[in-house]
Amino acid sequence: MEDDAGPFSYRAIVEAEEHDALPPGAVDAVRAWGFPEYLVPSGLGGRLTTLEELFLVTRALSRRSVTVAVMYGSGLLAVNPVWLWGDARQRRTVAEGVLGGDLACFGVSEADHGSDVTASESEAELQGDELVLTGTKWPVGNATRGRFVTTYARTGPRDFSLILVDKEELDPDTWSTLPPVRTVGLRGHDLSGVAFSGARVPADRVIGRRGSGLVQTLKTLQITRTAIAALSVGTMDAVVRIGMDYARHRTLYGSDIYQIPVIRDHLLKAHLDLLIAECVAIPVARCLTVAPERLSLWSSIVKYFVPVLGEEVVGSIGTVLAARGYLREGVAHGVFQKLQRDHAIASIFEGTTHVNLANVAGQLPYLVDPPEETGREDDLLADLFRWTRTPPAWVPDGRVLQLTNEGRDEVGQRFEVICEELLTTADAHAAPGVAAELKDLMSGVGGMRATLEQGVRAGAGDTTSVAALARAKRYCELHAMLSCVLTWLHNRQRFGGPFADGQWLVLCLQRLLQRVQPDTLLSEDFLPPLEDAMFRDADEGRWFSLLSLADLSPTAAGDE
């Protein structure tokens, strides 16, 4: 928030946006630090080893500038098909380009068809050993600045392929870029389009097998849907920090406004929402290398739930700031209104909230009757939820990603087992009063789950109605509740401190229940440790995180 904090100060960011630009030196600073290296797998010379690492780095960047984070996020979407299905030459060319500072874009959308990719009019006709590409892709992030265009085009009557187009190889007369698109947020981001008119590319630029472009696109989106949650968590961190700073320094009625009960309530609930988002997003980020075959369902849950939570947090902090949040100057140099506008893209990118709820709804009928367990469930959940356990390094292989979870969800389907373990552990190890609260809460959650399953069975075959999407929404909320429970179970022994006491878990579950039962109250007696951590993080300039509740000193907890 300091005036001279460089190109990522809020002052520089707001001033640049007034001119629809990025702050001078911002991209250079990110490149110099090495952020583009996190878009390239370690096996190809980059630093991308797990999606969790990329998630955390993107979260850090998004605390300052969602716009710059989106610029690289658009590039990630474009290059992932190359890592997953590309041949050695394609991978080497793109890796060298990205590491050298080149941007990439994913040319899928068309003005008249939007997300209906089967209606794509762009065509790539095979002529000898070349493809002749004709069509217009719009809107596309990085379309003008990007060197590589991963282009979705028709290569047969009912076949679509992804084609790696390198602008440097094209005849300049056969392609052009479209004017920038004016947007509400992300001002300064290159959102434009690219048009091909008889552009010739070598036939071996098809990524993977010809005709597999639709499946490749759907699988690629699973990764970026998960990564987008980092934009939301970073934004939540930023606005909660701004709201706390304002509430503690703004004086009304003889004291700072944090003392006003409704202001305190907004900030505490926003902080809880951020902690919930961590519990939901981090395991799914780990999923790419731990259990990629589960990503089809869990990525859509994260993509729906975390951005919606982020929107609610931003709106709540807007209430705290009141009129000051509407200004383009003043509090934090007026950056709040920019964060609010920029974050709105999180619910739109890689499928809107409705698209992702539809993805969940389509799988629900196959999830209500759990298949026979494999015996690996406990190990899988530990790999996903134990934050001290390093996930395996990513070796990109598109074959391990699946279009559905094939009726398996080791989180949602193990409710009874997880609930029994929670209550037993809380009774033995949690702070006084926690076990009793959890017993009541999980009883209520169990009733919600039973009602949901009854609705799914009664509506068998219905996966597109408003009621079906409402059931999918409830399933996402239940997933969030169990994610919080599993985060506590798998980390309490190592983390110790207020984390292990479990009061935060009660508060998070109560906060999630408020989505279903708005009159649910937070346990006031459990708030002080959470409030202390929130103030400490704000004062020390640290991330708002569950880690702030942990005592990670060597003697704080025994071995796992």
Side-chain angles (χ1 to χ4, degrees):
M1 298 187 189
E2 298 176 2
D3 290 356
D4 58 351
F8 282 95
S9 70
Y10 285 150
R11 178 178 180 176
I13 288 169
V14 172
E15 288 179 350
E17 176 161 9
E18 294 295 319
H19 305 287
D20 287 342
L22 299 176
V27 175
D28 291 339
V30 171
R31 286 175 176 166
W33 181 82
F35 189 91
E37 297 173 30
Y38 282 93
L39 306 183
V40 179
S42 56
L44 293 170
R47 298 172 67 183
L48 177 56
T49 56
T50 69
L51 186 57
E52 181 185 26
E53 285 186 334
L54 176 60
F55 178 93
L56 296 173
V57 173
T58 303
R59 169 183 174 170
L61 183 57
S62 300
R63 291 175 65 208
R64 301 296 187 92
S65 175
V66 174
T67 306
V68 176
V70 166
M71 179 181 76
Y72 285 108
S74 297
L76 177 69
L77 176 61
V79 299
N80 271 343
V82 180
W83 310 148
L84 291 165
W85 296 281
D87 59 32
R89 181 198 173 280
Q90 292 170 348
R91 290 181 173 186
R92 183 175 61 255
T93 300
V94 174
E96 290 175 352
V98 172
L99 292 173
D102 291 327
L103 294 173
C105 62
F106 199 25
V108 176
S109 297
E110 296 181 357
D112 293 335
H113 306 298
S115 60
D116 184 6
V117 291
T118 59
S120 175
E121 296 181 28
S122 296
E123 294 183 334
E125 181 184 357
L126 182 64
Q127 294 184 4
D129 58 357
E130 290 183 317
L131 290 168
V132 181
L133 179 61
T134 299
T136 300
K137 295 298 179 179
W138 180 96
V140 177
N142 298 337
T144 297
R145 299 172 187 160
R147 169 186 167 185
F148 301 105
V149 186
T150 301
T151 307
Y152 181 88
R154 187 182 298 273
T155 50
R158 289 189 292 180
D159 288 344
F160 299 90
S161 301
L162 291 180
I163 303 166
L164 178 61
V165 177
D166 185 345
K167 290 179 181 177
E168 294 183 356
E169 295 181 337
L170 298 181
D171 180 341
D173 293 332
T174 62
W175 70 277
S176 61
T177 56
L178 304 182
V181 181
R182 299 176 65 188
T183 54
V184 171
L186 301 180
R187 293 166 62 180
H189 175 50
D190 169 21
L191 185 66
S192 51
V194 58
F196 302 104
S197 179
R200 293 182 175 271
V201 298
D204 63 5
R205 298 302 189 264
V206 171
I207 300 172
R209 183 175 58 83
R210 181 173 169 176
S212 58
L214 177 58
V215 171
Q216 290 173 338
T217 299
L218 295 175
K219 289 183 175 182
T220 298
L221 290 174
Q222 295 174 14
I223 300 175
T224 45
R225 279 173 178 159
T226 304
I228 279 174
L231 305 179
S232 293
V233 180
T235 302
M236 283 188 255
D237 190 295
V239 298
V240 170
R241 193 172 309 275
I242 291 167
M244 283 197 65
D245 185 74
Y246 177 72
R248 295 167 73 189
H249 292 93
R250 171 67 166 162
T251 300
L252 283 177
Y253 316 118
S255 64
D256 64 77
I257 65 170
Y258 186 83
Q259 306 307 318
I260 300 174
V262 69
I263 298 297
R264 175 176 177 264
D265 185 63
H266 275 293
L267 288 166
L268 287 170
K269 287 177 177 176
H271 184 233
L272 281 171
D273 288 343
L274 192 158
L275 303 185
I276 292 166
E278 275 193 330
C279 292
V280 174
I282 289 176
V284 182
R286 290 167 158 256
C287 183
L288 177 62
T289 54
V290 170
E293 68 278 7
R294 299 291 179 264
L295 207 53
S296 68
L297 174 68
W298 293 343
S299 65
S300 282
I301 291 176
V302 167
K303 177 57 176 62
Y304 159 73
F305 188 78
V306 176
V308 166
L309 207 61
E311 290 175 351
E312 294 171 359
V313 167
V314 172
S316 184
I317 300 303
T319 300
V320 171
L321 298 177
R324 306 299 173 94
Y326 190 71
L327 304 181
R328 288 156 55 192
E329 59 184 25
V331 176
H333 300 286
V335 78
F336 176 80
Q337 50 81 30
K338 172 177 167 52
L339 290 166
Q340 187 174 40
R341 289 183 286 106
D342 287 357
H343 180 263
I345 196 64
S347 292
I348 300 172
F349 266 166
E350 318 318 53
T352 64
T353 54
H354 296 102
V355 167
N356 283 283
L357 283 176
N359 289 343
V360 176
Q363 296 201 43
L364 276 185
Y366 307 98
L367 297 172
V368 292
D369 294 312
E372 184 177 348
E373 292 202 349
T374 65
R376 185 178 173 266
E377 285 79 8
D378 288 333
D379 288 339
L380 171 61
L381 293 177
D383 286 339
L384 291 172
F385 286 92
R386 191 164 298 171
W387 289 11
T388 56
R389 184 173 290 184
T390 303
W394 189 35
V395 180
D397 183 353
R399 294 171 297 180
V400 300
L401 296 169
Q402 304 297 322
L403 295 181
T404 76
N405 274 33
E406 298 181 338
R408 290 191 179 274
D409 176 6
E410 288 81 356
V411 176
Q413 290 171 335
R414 303 195 88 224
F415 175 81
E416 288 84 2
V417 174
I418 294 169
C419 186
E420 181 179 356
E421 182 183 0
L422 170 67
L423 298 181
T424 301
T425 304
D427 193 52
H429 301 290
V434 168
E437 288 283 0
L438 288 174
K439 184 177 180 180
D440 288 343
L441 286 167
M442 296 311 289
S443 175
V445 173
M448 288 169 46
R449 180 173 176 269
T451 300
L452 170 64
E453 290 185 352
Q454 291 171 4
V456 173
R457 291 191 175 95
D462 171 23
T463 60
T464 60
S465 69
V466 172
L469 296 187
R471 291 191 290 268
K473 177 181 177 182
R474 184 58 41 80
Y475 195 84
C476 293
E477 292 164 348
L478 289 168
H479 181 95
M481 294 174 187
L482 289 174
S483 293
C484 292
V485 170
L486 288 165
T487 299
W488 182 71
L489 286 173
H490 286 285
N491 296 285
R492 61 160 194 87
Q493 186 174 353
R494 175 66 187 92
F495 283 6
F499 182 98
D501 289 343
Q503 293 173 332
W504 70 266
L505 175 59
V506 171
L507 294 167
C508 284
L509 292 176
Q510 290 171 338
R511 178 63 179 144
L512 285 165
L513 272 174
Q514 288 178 340
R515 307 181 70 83
V516 185
Q517 303 166 353
D519 57 347
T520 301
L521 298 177
L522 301 181
S523 296
E524 182 67 33
D525 291 345
F526 291 172
L527 284 172
L530 183 85
E531 201 165 18
D532 289 345
M534 185 171 71
F535 274 78
R536 188 168 59 251
D537 288 343
D539 291 338
E540 297 177 3
R542 298 193 300 172
W543 282 8
F544 295 111
S545 173
L546 279 172
L547 288 174
S548 300
L549 296 170
D551 180 0
L552 295 176
S553 59
T555 59
D559 293 335
E560 293 179 356

